[in-house]
Amino acid sequence: MNIKKLITEIPWESNANIRFLWLKADGKPRSSLADEIRTLEEKTILPIVLRSNLFLTSNALMADLATLISDNEHEFRGLKSLSPSHISVVIISNDPLSIPQASSPVRLPDWFPILGGREIFVRIEDVFDTAQLAPLNSEGARIDLIASLLFEIESIIVRRLRFIAEAQEGKVRALIDSLRADGENNGGSTNSHLQNYEAHLAGVSVARAYRPGAKSKNSLLSKLIYQVLKNSPDSVASFSKKLSSALAIKTMPRLKPSLFGVMLRPSLALEDAEANSHFGILAFYQAYQLMNAAAHAGEYPSYPASLVLANAKDLVRFLMDFRQTLEYAFAEQLQPEEETA
């Protein structure tokens, strides 16, 4: 790993003059990492090998910082001759940082090279989480894979609606009527709407480049995404019942939603198939927003690469589960239920 790049690319907080960074050695000798840091041109980066049982609980953060400074007084005093304006303290440990990266007050001793005798607020930041920033269109965002999964899922759902409409047109029509955007005339036969959805999908030449909009009149996925844009979480959950009914799923195991889906958990009680439809709609919306941000990545800040990747992996995991579950459910139900009188 490029230690200099990791450390120097971490942005300073406004009005901060001293910061404490946590570097997990990741199997490399801590002393070797400290020596490597000392050779950097930035002389105001101070490596400290952690050899005490410090920073194990958030409650002891202030006391642990004071102990760390006191135990390494000689090293800190050595910086005073440089008359530094900023100091980066790199704590090198064999273990990951186990406490939240929250601020804590600490009173600096009078002999400290900068701000001596003053109380300041500092926090310990994990070098890898903070420094390895990635734009939202980076490889870790997995935009191509997400696009392909959206296209595949939309294709599966449209085929299912076509199948159900043969015997239970009323269920499919109820969904189509509820998908109307503001000011949109929802006239035309059920068949004509399904033909529009099918034609839209047929016009996609490369699945990995698929990017649904929010108001496309001919994309079923876009119309589902629009439901999240215009409605409250409970209203979206209520709408998901119509999608589930139109798909005529008899039994379906409840899926594990993406974390984003958990954040928008509704108050309404949903059956398993309805809940999965709700999770799916939220995942479509999540993917839509992520793809928009990736397409305009320069307008957004970069985020820790680990966060970008974790978000993408979680979304991909759900979309794969959803696609597979739909395929299994539809394969087992070769014929739709008879229309009830």
Side-chain angles (χ1 to χ4, degrees):
M1 53 184 170
N2 188 325
I3 296 297
K4 180 178 180 180
K5 184 178 178 63
L6 281 175
I7 297 173
T8 58
E9 287 192 356
I10 297 176
W12 281 85
E13 293 186 356
S14 60
N15 301 321
N17 299 91
I18 181 171
R19 61 185 181 181
F20 289 80
L21 308 175
W22 187 279
L23 178 62
K24 183 177 180 295
D26 203 23
K28 191 172 183 179
R30 292 173 296 172
S31 57
S32 297
L33 285 174
D35 290 340
E36 186 176 342
I37 292 172
R38 291 189 187 96
T39 63
L40 300 179
E41 296 177 1
E42 288 78 5
K43 300 300 183 182
T44 54
I45 299 177
L46 178 63
I48 295 177
V49 175
L50 185 63
R51 304 187 187 279
S52 305
N53 293 324
L54 302 176
F55 309 110
L56 300 178
T57 67
S58 299
N59 293 336
L61 180 57
M62 180 172 63
D64 288 346
L65 283 169
T67 299
L68 183 80
I69 293 171
S70 177
D71 289 349
N72 295 275
E73 178 179 350
H74 178 74
E75 288 77 6
F76 282 110
R77 284 184 179 273
L79 297 177
K80 196 158 189 176
S81 61
L82 301 175
S83 300
S85 60
H86 293 73
I87 297 176
S88 296
V89 181
V90 182
I91 304 170
I92 306 173
S93 173
N94 285 326
D95 302 311
L97 181 61
S98 59
I99 59 175
Q101 299 180 42
S103 296
S104 176
V106 61
R107 187 184 184 282
L108 299 174
D110 294 336
W111 50 259
F112 204 78
I114 58 173
L115 306 177
R118 293 178 57 182
E119 182 179 81
I120 63 171
F121 277 83
V122 297
R123 67 173 181 171
I124 303 177
E125 300 177 275
D126 188 288
V127 168
F128 287 101
D129 285 348
T130 308
Q132 291 188 343
L133 299 179
L136 293 176
N137 62 350
S138 64
E139 183 178 352
R142 301 191 174 182
I143 299 300
D144 291 356
L145 178 55
I146 291 171
S148 295
L149 287 168
L150 291 181
F151 177 78
E152 292 168 7
I153 292 171
E154 184 174 3
S155 299
I156 292 169
I157 293 177
V158 170
R159 287 198 301 269
R160 178 63 174 182
L161 293 179
R162 169 66 72 182
F163 178 69
I164 296 300
E166 295 297 324
Q168 302 184 52
E169 181 184 352
K171 288 187 175 183
V172 177
R173 186 69 207 191
L175 174 67
I176 290 173
D177 288 342
S178 65
L179 287 170
R180 182 175 62 250
D182 295 337
E184 181 183 351
N185 184 348
N186 221 32
S189 66
T190 299
N191 181 60
S192 67
H193 283 278
L194 292 176
Q195 286 179 335
N196 287 338
Y197 299 156
E198 292 162 343
H200 167 75
L201 291 167
V204 177
S205 57
V206 182
R208 66 176 181 275
Y210 185 46
R211 183 182 164 199
K215 295 185 178 181
S216 173
K217 295 181 179 180
N218 296 324
S219 167
L220 175 62
L221 200 70
S222 295
K223 288 179 174 293
L224 294 175
I225 291 168
Y226 185 69
Q227 297 303 309
V228 186
L229 286 170
K230 74 170 186 176
N231 292 317
S232 67
D234 277 358
S235 294
V236 175
S238 180
F239 169 82
S240 68
K241 295 183 178 183
K242 297 181 181 179
L243 176 59
S244 177
S245 175
L247 296 176
I249 301 173
K250 298 176 184 176
T251 59
M252 193 181 200
R254 185 177 292 245
L255 299 176
K256 175 183 176 182
S258 70
L259 185 59
F260 179 84
V262 174
M263 298 300 103
L264 291 179
R265 179 177 178 272
S267 61
L268 276 67
L270 299 174
E271 296 181 357
D272 291 345
E274 296 169 345
N276 288 341
S277 294
H278 182 239
F279 298 153
I281 293 170
L282 293 179
F284 302 154
Y285 172 75
Q286 179 184 357
Y288 157 76
Q289 294 287 30
L290 180 61
M291 295 168 80
N292 278 347
H296 305 281
E299 301 175 13
Y300 295 86
S302 295
Y303 290 86
S306 57
L307 176 60
V308 173
L309 178 59
N311 175 71
K313 288 175 67 175
D314 182 50
L315 177 57
V316 166
R317 186 267 312 158
F318 171 79
L319 291 174
M320 285 183 168
D321 288 349
F322 191 53
R323 178 194 62 185
Q324 185 179 56
T325 302
L326 289 177
E327 289 175 338
Y328 287 165
F330 298 161
E332 292 175 357
Q333 301 167 29
L334 298 180
Q335 296 296 327
E337 296 178 357
E338 293 296 329
E339 194 91 53
T340 57

